[in-house]
Amino acid sequence: MSFLNKQRRFLAIVLLILLLFTGVGGCWSSMELNTRAFIQSVLIDRTEDGQIQLYVGVPLPNRMVPGQAGGSGPQTAEPFTFVGKKAENISQAFRLIQVDISRSLSFGQTRVIVVGRRMAEHGIDEIIEFVNRQPAFRLSANLYVTRNNVDEIMKIPLVFERFLSDILKRYVSTHVTLDTTVKDFKLAKYKGGDILTPLLVFGKASEISAENPKKNMWMGSGGAAIFSGGKMSGITLNRKEMQGALWISSQLKTSIITIRSPTDGKEISCTTEGVSTSIKPIIKNGQISFKIKSKAKAHVLSSMSDIDFKDPEVILQVEKILDKDTERRLRLVIDKTRQAQSDSFLMSQYLDWRYPKAWNSIKDRWKSYYATELPIEIDVSIRLNRTGGVYRSIKQETEKIK
């Protein structure tokens, strides 16, 4: 018994010593935070002579004053800056930027990558290769493409947010554009490099230039770029078609659909929500086909029609019109990806997962088969759950009273 007590006492002493050591442990890395510069956004493009143009956006700690919240007045200088260099490749350009900065650059907080037109058309394999070899780089960082020169994004005035990366992340979090990440690109690369990427557009904003002539551009979502084989094709999706792409990928939170009334042809606007879409491969008699099945709920947002939503038959008619209109939109998106020979919704992966033998027999000619031969059925079912506070339009009710 005494032997057991000695063992317990020895274990207790060892645990106490280990516990004391945890209090004196320091940082595992010798790199202090105040010697680092955390990159929040990366801009990459190619010049006309084939060189890489790289910009990194970093916060400026000396301008991020905590005392602002205490009433020290508005801050005139921006709390971040862009540093850029040209070189033969990304690694060399990054090294040149690092030489000019007094702090060590880190990709630990990089949230967005914006790729210019020349770079996107040339192919983004070089970008993915560079990112793969940066252990601190976030796989959740979002990728964007622009047809303009990538440096035009620096002329965007920051009105609601402090950092440019916050604006671009908001586009994704509010579901107004596609959520395409570094991880998505890495996965797509191993399946042929076909993917959809959100497209940014820029334009002049004269009302803003009066306040700051150097910040005279506005930025918005311009649809989506279609990548085929890791390169941006000449075919793009406009903003309405991008809504269809969001619908197919189940990234759409809400959407507004305007249709014509089955009674008098006047406009009825409905809000859809709860979108759920599945992509299913089907093999019948040796023939490969796909079925895209989608469900959603809807409620009436406004109506200029004399339609009576009390009638169940009328509800069914409106639901059928909503179904057909949405199916038409989704079909336009699928047709454009087929024109670009881009399996942007990764149907090949669904086929590989469910029918590996069938995939192995067709994978060598999958691109051409997807573009010209693959039967794709689209089935949309929208249920009109709410018709609003009234069953008829206010205009019709007013005329009825008169």
Side-chain angles (χ1 to χ4, degrees), residues 20-21 51 60 90 96 112 118 175 198 203 225 273 320 347-348 390:
L20 291 174
F21 273 122
Q51 284 192 311
L60 298 175
I90 298 176
L96 291 175
V112 294
R118 292 191 187 94
H175 303 278
E273 59 186 8
K320 287 181 180 179
M347 293 187 181
S348 59
V390 294

Side-chain angles (χ1 to χ4, degrees), residues 201-261:
V201 292
F202 304 98
K204 292 285 185 179
S206 57
E207 65 278 7
I208 297 176
S209 62
E211 299 178 6
N212 187 351
K214 294 182 179 180
K215 298 281 185 177
N216 61 349
M217 303 288 287
W218 60 261
M219 176 179 66
S221 173
I226 303 176
F227 277 74
S228 177
K231 299 180 180 180
M232 185 175 73
S233 70
I235 301 172
T236 59
L237 303 180
N238 59 35
R239 295 186 67 175
K240 286 187 177 181
E241 292 165 344
M242 186 188 65
Q243 292 289 316
L246 288 168
W247 191 297
I248 294 174
S249 57
S250 296
Q251 294 184 27
L252 192 66
K253 189 175 182 180
T254 60
S255 177
I256 296 177
I257 301 176
T258 300
I259 60 173
R260 295 291 177 180
S261 170

Side-chain angles (χ1 to χ4, degrees), residues 18 37 200 208 214 285 294 298 376:
L18 291 175
L200 297 176
I208 297 176
K214 294 182 179 180
N285 299 325
S294 185
I376 301 176

Side-chain angles (χ1 to χ4, degrees), residues 156-335:
I156 304 301
L158 301 182
V159 180
F160 295 102
E161 308 295 342
R162 296 187 68 189
F163 302 104
L164 176 66
S165 58
D166 292 339
I167 299 175
L168 296 177
K169 291 297 287 187
R170 291 287 183 183
Y171 287 168
V172 173
S173 62
T174 54
H175 303 278
V176 299
T177 193
L178 291 164
D179 184 6
T180 304
T181 64
V182 171
K183 180 182 178 181
D184 296 328
F185 257 98
K186 291 175 70 174
L187 292 175
K189 181 181 178 181
Y190 293 106
K191 287 293 183 179
D194 297 347
I195 198 170
L196 294 177
T197 306
L199 194 64
L200 297 176
V201 292
F202 304 98
K204 292 285 185 179
S206 57
E207 65 278 7
I208 297 176
S209 62
E211 299 178 6
N212 187 351
K214 294 182 179 180
K215 298 281 185 177
N216 61 349
M217 303 288 287
W218 60 261
M219 176 179 66
S221 173
I226 303 176
F227 277 74
S228 177
K231 299 180 180 180
M232 185 175 73
S233 70
I235 301 172
T236 59
L237 303 180
N238 59 35
R239 295 186 67 175
K240 286 187 177 181
E241 292 165 344
M242 186 188 65
Q243 292 289 316
L246 288 168
W247 191 297
I248 294 174
S249 57
S250 296
Q251 294 184 27
L252 192 66
K253 189 175 182 180
T254 60
S255 177
I256 296 177
I257 301 176
T258 300
I259 60 173
R260 295 291 177 180
S261 170
T263 58
D264 56 10
K266 295 183 179 180
E267 287 187 351
I268 301 174
S269 294
C270 299
T271 299
T272 60
E273 59 186 8
V275 177
S276 175
T277 305
S278 63
I279 301 176
K280 183 179 178 181
I282 300 171
I283 295 182
K284 188 175 182 180
N285 299 325
Q287 176 73 27
I288 300 173
S289 62
F290 272 81
K291 183 174 184 178
I292 299 175
K293 190 173 183 179
S294 185
K295 297 181 180 179
K297 300 175 183 177
H299 67 268
V300 177
L301 191 64
S302 65
S303 174
M304 299 303 295
S305 171
D306 62 358
I307 193 170
D308 185 4
F309 286 105
K310 288 183 180 179
D311 188 350
E313 292 296 326
V314 169
I315 297 292
L316 290 175
Q317 291 178 17
V318 173
E319 288 178 345
K320 287 181 180 179
I321 296 174
L322 288 171
D323 293 345
K324 295 299 181 184
D325 184 81
T326 305
E327 287 174 5
R328 178 184 58 81
R329 292 187 182 190
L330 303 191
R331 178 65 64 184
L332 286 174
V333 175
I334 293 297
D335 288 345

